[in-house]
Amino acid sequence: MSKYTQERRLLHGGDYNPDQWLHCPDILTEDIALMRDANTNTFSLGIFAWAKLEPQEGVFDFAWLDTVINRIEAIGGNVILATPSGARPAWMSAKYPEVLRVNERREKQLHGARHNHCFSSPIYREKVQIINRKLAERYGDHKALLMWHISNEYGGDCHCNLCQENFRTWLKSKYQTLERLNRAWWADFWSHTLTDWNQIESPSSIGETGVHGLNLDWRRFVTDQTIDFYLEECRPFRELTPDVEITTNFMGEVMEPHPFAGLDYAKFAEVVDIVSWDAYPNWHNDYETTAHLASKLAFLNDYFRALKDKPFLIMESTPSLVNWHPVNKAKRPGMHLLSSIATLAHGSDSVLYFQWRKSRGSSEKFHGAVVDHDQSRENRVFQEVSELGRILENIKEIKGANTRAKVALLYDTENKWALDDAQAYVRADKQYAETLHMHYKYFWDNNIAVDVITKDKPLDRYQLVIAPMLYMMEAAVIEKLRSYVAHGGHLVSTYLTGKVDENDLVYQGGWPVPLSELFGVNVLETDTLYPKDRNSIAAFGSEFAAMDYCEIIQTAGAMPLGTYQADFYQETPAVTEHAFGRGRSYFIAARTGPDFLNAFYSFVYREESRGVEAEAGVSVAVREKDGVAYIFVMNFTESAQSIHLPERMLDIATGNTLEQGTHELPVYGFHVLKRAKKEA
Amino acid sequence: MSKYTQERRLLHGGDYNPDQWLHCPDILTEDIALMRDANTNTFSLGIFAWAKLEPQEGVFDFAWLDTVINRIEAIGGNVILATPSGARPAWMSAKYPEVLRVNERREKQLHGARHNHCFSSPIYREKVQIINRKLAERYGDHKALLMWHISNEYGGDCHCNLCQENFRTWLKSKYQTLERLNRAWWADFWSHTLTDWNQIESPSSIGETGVHGLNLDWRRFVTDQTIDFYLEECRPFRELTPDVEITTNFMGEVMEPHPFAGLDYAKFAEVVDIVSWDAYPNWHNDYETTAHLASKLAFLNDYFRALKDKPFLIMESTPSLVNWHPVNKAKRPGMHLLSSIATLAHGSDSVLYFQWRKSRGSSEKFHGAVVDHDQSRENRVFQEVSELGRILENIKEIKGANTRAKVALLYDTENKWALDDAQAYVRADKQYAETLHMHYKYFWDNNIAVDVITKDKPLDRYQLVIAPMLYMMEAAVIEKLRSYVAHGGHLVSTYLTGKVDENDLVYQGGWPVPLSELFGVNVLETDTLYPKDRNSIAAFGSEFAAMDYCEIIQTAGAMPLGTYQADFYQETPAVTEHAFGRGRSYFIAARTGPDFLNAFYSFVYREESRGVEAEAGVSVAVREKDGVAYIFVMNFTESAQSIHLPERMLDIATGNTLEQGTHELPVYGFHVLKRAKKEA
Amino acid sequence: MSKYTQERRLLHGGDYNPDQWLHCPDILTEDIALMRDANTNTFSLGIFAWAKLEPQEGVFDFAWLDTVINRIEAIGGNVILATPSGARPAWMSAKYPEVLRVNERREKQLHGARHNHCFSSPIYREKVQIINRKLAERYGDHKALLMWHISNEYGGDCHCNLCQENFRTWLKSKYQTLERLNRAWWADFWSHTLTDWNQIESPSSIGETGVHGLNLDWRRFVTDQTIDFYLEECRPFRELTPDVEITTNFMGEVMEPHPFAGLDYAKFAEVVDIVSWDAYPNWHNDYETTAHLASKLAFLNDYFRALKDKPFLIMESTPSLVNWHPVNKAKRPGMHLLSSIATLAHGSDSVLYFQWRKSRGSSEKFHGAVVDHDQSRENRVFQEVSELGRILENIKEIKGANTRAKVALLYDTENKWALDDAQAYVRADKQYAETLHMHYKYFWDNNIAVDVITKDKPLDRYQLVIAPMLYMMEAAVIEKLRSYVAHGGHLVSTYLTGKVDENDLVYQGGWPVPLSELFGVNVLETDTLYPKDRNSIAAFGSEFAAMDYCEIIQTAGAMPLGTYQADFYQETPAVTEHAFGRGRSYFIAARTGPDFLNAFYSFVYREESRGVEAEAGVSVAVREKDGVAYIFVMNFTESAQSIHLPERMLDIATGNTLEQGTHELPVYGFHVLKRAKKEA
């Protein structure tokens, strides 16, 4: 059994950087005592510690790390040990300039910052290999070792000559011939026909930015190159510690909301043992409700959970505030508990922080931490972390419990790349992520579980699949959706769907026939509106605003559910329903507000209650394991709310039993209710 | 008689890129059938086709082009054959890096995009010469050849060493001595005195941007260098096909509105046989009325028409939408006809499109086209193009008819350069083009024809010349205006006039005496206001807001027509009228809104009716030929409007005769009425 | 006695650039007559004149300068003679490219603009040395020579290899060992540990920007390097003309308001004999009252005056308008007198202009000047300058009079660097300068004199010291403030105070104990609010809005003066008062509006009247000399205001005596009242 599987606790702790404090032995000692008092159990070590691990080329120093790991072990703690490749020592950049990136303007970068090494550099790969192997050898058998943490927040790209060569090799392998590449990139446009592989250059603002096939392939190559680098990093661990899980921390942009768009995590997730991500919602902002932001966070959690259809880890979060938001506001009392519970509710098995202790200097010295500069156990943050630790201990039985959603929302990073690149429609922002979240929000509001899936996932388990704005659809995806509906699935699609294939080449001959058959409509035109323009849709006995995009469609078998009320396509269908095989498909031809989506999904989909009734802003989410359901009830409003329990249930967070009936949930309050699952 | 003169039809068709589809012979065949069905007759070929015409250095392939041209000939069509210099093959950039531009930051560009060759490169000029000569030799006698289209949308500049050398040579030729150049550039300021020609560098954000004389000369050089390149491109055609007209497509910014400001078309127009331009109004936007945008389009058409005082060609327009506006909205039904008629009304003899067929990939795949990705003859766009083709056939007798305006508005590109550069007044935007359009709008609203002329044009034919914000005035222009008024002309000028000479050197000794005599005023100060500041002007029995600029003037013979109502120059003159020689001159000292201009021009200028009375938003424009007037009546409002005909007239667009009296013109409706001209 | 001390007049005149007009001998002659007629007496010569002084390398021409200086002497005028290093001749850049700067992106600049030489370049230093020595030798004994003006508006930095080497040398000298440098920069963060001095690079957007210690040291180095360059420039003058004062013109950003932030003038002021600065308020803008802007100007004047605790010079100002503001509006009639008097009131002994005469060309041709392009003596500007000259003659006895403030406001440039750099709180703008000005404004409104001091100044002379947002405090500053209060001083401090030491390293263990003792409070948390968030403070019997920052504090001896009214820290102290030693300290924990500050300072500090009572917007300022007080009364409102004189006083500006009682002061009116000082 693997190391992580053996661990019965929910992970609580986070990034610990003793390498910044080696000159303060008292602090290192005090940290261990603080860790115990904070009820934490797991620490990520070694991220960015390369300069301390290998202070000179070939000279290694693990003594300090030995001490720290042993001390953590002594208090019963775990270590997630990181490879240091996220930042390299200055001596390396000085001796081997090839490790420095070249940016897209072809400017060689200077040493500085982090996450900025060339992924192609043989020297860098060699140096990483050496140190990773030493880590594997030295700590692979350590009892405290829980997991490997490869590098940190992989991202970015390098445009040096080595990377250009690797890109060309990647393209040769993909296309075999220049003719095929020229066709895929539609290179005859503007005489861009390539006659030699060496004519290929990565996209650049001082060169080519408008060849969409090139742009897409570059991003795919960057994903593959990053994964290749990651896999090479993993080699010593796979060889020497086959029972120790490996992860690397992914990123999510909660404000947008979407996963980090620089890499395609659908591919990357395949090669990590457990998904982990870094979550930084900006609570208490002045432009949205707490509930709205909570639904964005849930959206991302449901994405990372669905990547491997199992619980994931929050590898980083803040116990208080961050230092890189436009406004860095502190969490209000109670919010740290609530927001931590919120990620657990959607599939996390950890609450890990960046960072354990605030540094004294440099760019992250004001980023929130368990241990503040005051080093106090009495301050609000330390107290709340400590309290959360107690709760996590109480509810640890949820570890491994999963969520079985009957609704899937399809998010495709490659589609985002293509849409963002599309020179058409509204140029500045197509609002792909915002639109997905708007659909998601209906289900969050109604406490219906959703998997936010990538296009490679099986669909047959779902009763409803929602795939808005799937502009780029390869034939296999179209076929998959057809097959899903044919076998009884329900599918919702929208405007800006099915325009181009996987090379961003437009489908010829009108909307693809397989789609037209599937939805029973033909898309005639996409009408793009100015920001102040409005049309409206009459549907479900009411009238709803339409904006931004109104596609003009023709039914070919489908039944109109709503029609446009204005402009030259007045009275034409705007929303349709179609029977296809044993299933049904729905097409929403225009962008609408949440009011329409509420009416629409109320019509399209019903699901039994999650077991607890609650008012708006109180969210109910369920995880299940071994026939037991864990019902998370969370108040994301700024006032106390009533909830109604259909039966007596135990709140494992507190150990209290709640009677059947109505209860008041205080501001930011929550329950983790345990209920034996009913017979299916 | 030249090829184009022999053609009796209005040109209808546009950019055709079979070079993107050589691997799809069916599409090439189908295109010809579609061309016939769309009632089109003229196609621009070969733009950006270099990679297909010369796939390897020195290896040429014209077979595909032969086929296309022959097929177009077979359906009675014309070809406007382009030189391919707008985009070069990748092999050329790879082998001869000198053909790549260096940008103003002195960064060598990579291969990519288009319109980015160095104008100085001997190799590029040689390669262009070779291929152009081959085109001339092969197709010069082809019956289908109507015209040569040199390159595409010339623009931009290159700062490589070759261009620096050419710039220095150009300056030596202009100034002969460094002393004269130093004087013209006022180079002793900040010790910028040049003591060697090699010290000269083109303007750069990493070097010099504040020497206005240098900036002006650089832009003049760029215009001359571009024309020089163009003339060299023309050489084989002038030599081998003296009877075939040559054009190159100019550009206009309809939203601003002004012609492309990167080149001085006043000079460029002298060396083309027929002016053509690419017009892309953003119809149905959410910040102005359709009529307002129509007047901007008319303003630009009247500029391009006046460049050679004869009909011009719309070389590019879209049948539906573009892909590069911030919001790419489709033309509503009827707008394609109306907007096409609108350009014809102001002097175009063509409706040519970019593009015939949408490409499948790359940056312009969503730009509107006659043939959409659905390849359908049934869709709205194809149908409207086809209908327009029928109308163009009906009204083809207008070809060659011109407009005789009695009012001229002076637009000077060099003045725009100088004003945009001026470090004074409101720094961000002096609003030169917007101001000219605001004056123009009065005449458009009142159906009075206007020539938008460049400063080299004769003035004696006009009853009224309007020259707002002519900040930069060389002595010859001042003298020309004086002579015009002295001989009976009426002249309107405004604030920010006559400040500097052709080198952007300020006139010494107060406002130039010749101007002071001409207008009977002296300009004492230019008061620049903050955006929220307002003064007002009492004039014509009413009071009007003044903003942005209020010049404080003193009459010296002129009669005040209006006075300021506030601030320390309260009660001083703001608008004046002056008798000079046999004419009259008017000076508007402050920026006003349209309300003032309406009152002012109602007072200053009257013209007999254009023959048809119409309500606001319905525009009436006239073209004349052989004693016949063609009266275009166009409804640019969103509802039906009444028009009144003083007599019975034939609408040649429909063949219907309209009786004397009142008629209703539907939304976006139009007539092309034919009337024998009255005796003068 | 030094040259400047012998001069009894207030300086009136400014930058004169005859070097631009050598080809126009008539203009040079006319200038002298105009100078007399404008009642001016002092001219800065030679700024940017290098190309005329040394037209070829090693070939010098002083003849023209001899003539100009002699002519100025002939009319009884003074010359402030500048070194020409602010702009070099083109031949120098061409022959010695090392003199050109490299920007922070490591791009070598081209020749152009000004103020852009490398401070390290040995060649540049050598060339400057040669020409400065020649100036010293030739003009050191000239009777008209009043002062040396070194270069012009020093600023900017260079990142070339020579500067990198000098930076490393500077760091070696400061830190001695890399270990100490690594500790100061907290370099172990992200493995930034340096193991070789050559690994150090100046901050760069293509390298490192987040190491705050590096950023701070770079700015300190740039200040030291600039001063070193300045001192080297001074050498010939110190050696040959020990009795002639030396200055260089500093800069201030009136709109912000703060002194130029590129250099630390606290250090620079030590090596100039007399402080001078260039003041360009944007009068009559559309977003603040005239009085508000006047208080910003006063704030800066009080800073420059306090730098050496003696009168300073306005080295540049405009008689009318500038050309580089976003909107360049002319001063209304009377404003030139008033704004000039306003700087005299706060310690200036001069009104010097940029520029004497408008140039004909290049970037500053529209910048205001005494002599306009019209060359007229009759225009408004010349008339007002001339009138001001008469007034300056009338009031010249104020020369040398100083202001004795009992209130000091601490402005620290290094603190601004650190705050602007801080990755925390509101990221975009911490509003340090705006906050200082808001505190200052209370005193300006109440006609109480304030010294805006740097942290090196003695405090014992003050009854009240205000040090808002002193984020960065070295131990010595903390100790100085403690000692000040302990000995009876009153101190006001605010949120964002005492966070980091001089290396931007955060104080460990909570708010520093010495501060906690001093203020009797502990700072627990800094709550950063979103722009629309509001808390409120109940204090002084009223309630005031709190915004942006609310620090949560705990009293430890202090008495609360106000408490928060909302959020989780409701009812906790927001404003406190504490007795410490013989003095008192006040802590304002939240950002407030002016309403709170009015109430607070009314409570904290009272001062006897300045001798004249006036309404809001009328400012009273006092300078004193030899037992005489000069009371400046200035109306900064847009209407006439009443003032009340407690006794009969002489207005030396007019020679009129004003009786005791109430008088009306017209719009923009002023008095300079003389009163024998009462016995202390």
Side-chain angles (χ1 to χ4, degrees), chain B residues 105 208 212 509 525 527, chain C residues 107 113 329 332 365 373 380:
Chain B
R105 293 183 73 80
E208 186 55 64
H212 301 140
E525 284 190 47
D527 192 27
Chain C
E107 294 166 317
K329 190 172 180 177
R332 268 50 197 145
K365 62 179 177 284
H373 295 116
R380 194 163 67 84

Side-chain angles (χ1 to χ4, degrees), chain C residues 11-195:
Chain C
L11 310 187
H12 189 216
D15 279 21
Y16 180 38
N17 296 99
D19 40 305
Q20 294 176 28
W21 300 92
L22 299 184
H23 59 293
C24 306
D26 291 354
I27 283 192
L28 297 182
T29 308
E30 171 72 354
D31 275 332
I32 302 299
L34 286 161
M35 286 171 183
R36 191 156 33 191
D37 295 344
N39 298 318
T40 52
N41 56 39
T42 302
F43 294 90
S44 302
L45 284 170
I47 304 168
F48 308 131
W50 203 333
K52 284 293 177 242
L53 293 172
E54 189 178 0
Q56 301 172 45
E57 187 173 10
V59 177
F60 296 89
D61 177 7
F62 294 104
W64 62 270
L65 187 54
D66 294 348
T67 306
V68 171
I69 297 181
N70 291 339
R71 284 175 175 178
I72 289 174
E73 183 191 7
I75 58 165
N78 296 317
V79 163
I80 297 176
L81 193 53
T83 70
S85 65
R88 69 195 158 273
W91 58 255
M92 200 187 298
S93 301
K95 181 161 180 191
Y96 307 106
E98 74 165 56
V99 304
L100 297 164
R101 280 190 192 162
V102 169
N103 70 12
E104 62 85 23
R105 294 182 74 80
R106 308 306 191 252
E107 294 166 317
K108 184 78 165 181
Q109 304 298 286
L110 302 172
H111 184 77
R114 56 170 181 165
H115 300 155
N116 49 19
H117 55 86
C118 168
F119 286 107
S120 296
S121 162
I123 283 288
Y124 199 67
R125 289 184 172 233
E126 179 187 322
K127 293 297 183 191
V128 168
Q129 203 58 214
I130 291 168
I131 193 139
N132 286 12
R133 183 161 293 271
K134 285 189 181 290
L135 290 171
E137 289 168 349
R138 188 172 193 98
Y139 301 107
D141 295 329
H142 200 293
K143 275 189 59 183
L145 177 70
L146 182 70
M147 197 179 294
W148 296 109
H149 178 297
I150 304 299
S151 202
N152 188 63
E153 294 186 346
Y154 278 118
D157 54 11
C158 173
H159 298 255
C160 77
N161 289 337
L162 291 168
C163 286
Q164 301 292 347
E165 269 314 308
N166 283 342
F167 182 41
R168 289 171 198 138
T169 302
W170 183 94
L171 290 168
K172 275 181 213 169
S173 161
K174 173 170 183 177
Y175 291 107
Q176 304 295 323
T177 70
L178 274 176
E179 193 190 347
R180 288 164 65 185
L181 178 147
N182 278 324
R183 194 83 79 251
W185 291 2
W186 204 252
D188 296 335
F189 178 81
W190 289 357
S191 268
H192 284 189
T193 322
L194 296 161
T195 54

Side-chain angles (χ1 to χ4, degrees), chain A residues 24-234:
Chain A
C24 306
D26 291 354
I27 282 192
L28 297 181
T29 308
E30 171 70 355
D31 275 333
I32 302 297
L34 286 161
M35 285 171 184
R36 192 155 36 191
D37 295 345
N39 299 318
T40 52
N41 57 38
T42 303
F43 294 90
S44 302
L45 284 170
I47 302 169
F48 307 131
W50 202 334
K52 284 294 178 239
L53 293 173
E54 190 178 0
Q56 301 172 44
E57 185 172 12
V59 177
F60 297 89
D61 176 7
F62 294 105
W64 63 270
L65 187 54
D66 293 349
T67 306
V68 171
I69 297 181
N70 291 338
R71 284 175 174 178
I72 289 173
E73 182 190 9
I75 59 165
N78 298 316
V79 163
I80 296 176
L81 193 54
T83 69
S85 65
R88 69 194 158 275
W91 59 255
M92 199 186 299
S93 301
K95 182 160 180 192
Y96 307 106
E98 72 166 56
V99 304
L100 298 164
R101 279 189 193 163
V102 169
N103 69 13
E104 62 85 23
R105 293 183 74 79
R106 307 308 191 250
E107 294 166 317
K108 184 79 165 181
Q109 304 298 285
L110 302 171
H111 185 76
R114 56 170 180 165
H115 301 153
N116 49 20
H117 55 86
C118 169
F119 287 107
S120 296
S121 161
I123 283 289
Y124 199 67
R125 289 184 172 232
E126 179 187 320
K127 293 297 182 191
V128 167
Q129 202 59 214
I130 291 168
I131 194 142
N132 286 12
R133 182 161 294 271
K134 285 189 181 288
L135 291 170
E137 288 167 351
R138 189 171 192 102
Y139 302 108
D141 296 328
H142 202 292
K143 275 189 59 184
L145 177 70
L146 182 70
M147 197 178 294
W148 297 109
H149 177 297
I150 304 299
S151 201
N152 189 63
E153 293 185 345
Y154 279 118
D157 54 11
C158 172
H159 298 254
C160 76
N161 289 338
L162 291 168
C163 287
Q164 301 292 346
E165 270 313 308
N166 283 341
F167 182 41
R168 289 171 198 138
T169 301
W170 184 93
L171 290 168
K172 275 180 212 168
S173 162
K174 174 171 182 177
Y175 291 108
Q176 305 295 323
T177 70
L178 275 176
E179 194 190 347
R180 288 164 65 185
L181 179 148
N182 279 324
R183 194 81 80 251
W185 291 3
W186 205 253
D188 296 336
F189 178 80
W190 289 357
S191 268
H192 284 188
T193 321
L194 297 160
T195 55
D196 188 304
W197 293 97
N198 288 325
Q199 292 160 2
I200 297 171
E201 281 276 345
S202 58
S204 170
S205 57
I206 61 163
E208 186 56 65
T209 62
V211 176
H212 301 141
L214 164 62
N215 294 352
L216 277 172
D217 276 340
W218 174 253
R219 293 193 193 97
R220 286 167 178 148
F221 163 73
V222 168
T223 290
D224 285 358
Q225 188 193 34
T226 304
I227 291 173
D228 180 73
F229 188 94
Y230 163 87
L231 288 174
E232 192 168 326
E233 280 219 44
C234 293

Side-chain angles (χ1 to χ4, degrees), chain C residues 413-465:
Chain C
T413 293
E414 291 202 337
N415 183 55
K416 178 168 168 56
W417 293 342
L419 265 173
D420 286 352
D421 230 27
Q423 300 179 40
Y425 314 122
V426 174
R427 286 297 306 275
D429 186 7
K430 313 292 190 293
Q431 303 195 344
Y432 176 55
E434 293 87 333
T435 301
L436 260 68
H437 174 257
M438 201 193 291
H439 285 257
Y440 177 89
K441 182 72 165 32
Y442 169 81
F443 298 92
W444 190 89
D445 284 342
N446 289 279
N447 300 320
I448 298 170
V450 175
D451 283 352
V452 180
I453 61 170
T454 52
K455 65 186 175 214
D456 52 299
K457 295 294 179 297
L459 304 179
D460 49 307
R461 68 169 66 171
Y462 300 110
Q463 294 184 4
L464 179 64
V465 170

Side-chain angles (χ1 to χ4, degrees), chain A residues 525 527-534 567-569, chain B residues 255 280-294 318-321 325 327-339 380 384 635-638 667-668:
Chain A
E525 284 191 46
D527 191 27
T528 302
L529 303 185
Y530 277 82
K532 294 182 195 157
D533 290 336
R534 285 292 177 278
D567 222 321
F568 67 94
Y569 38 93
Chain B
M255 304 187 202
Y280 292 107
N282 57 333
W283 295 112
H284 319 294
N285 63 56
D286 64 350
Y287 55 84
E288 67 187 334
T289 62
T290 298
H292 196 261
L293 179 54
T318 176
S320 48
L321 44 70
H325 285 165
V327 174
N328 296 290
K329 190 172 180 177
K331 287 184 192 171
R332 268 50 196 145
M335 179 50 84
H336 179 53
L337 296 184
L338 178 62
S339 65
R380 195 164 67 84
E384 294 190 28
N635 182 359
F636 290 108
T637 77
E638 314 301 319
V667 179
Y668 301 165

Side-chain angles (χ1 to χ4, degrees), chain B residues 610-629:
Chain B
R610 313 294 291 269
V612 175
E613 299 300 321
E615 295 173 57
V618 176
S619 180
V620 180
V622 179
R623 291 177 66 172
E624 298 168 1
K625 188 173 71 171
D626 306 332
V628 175

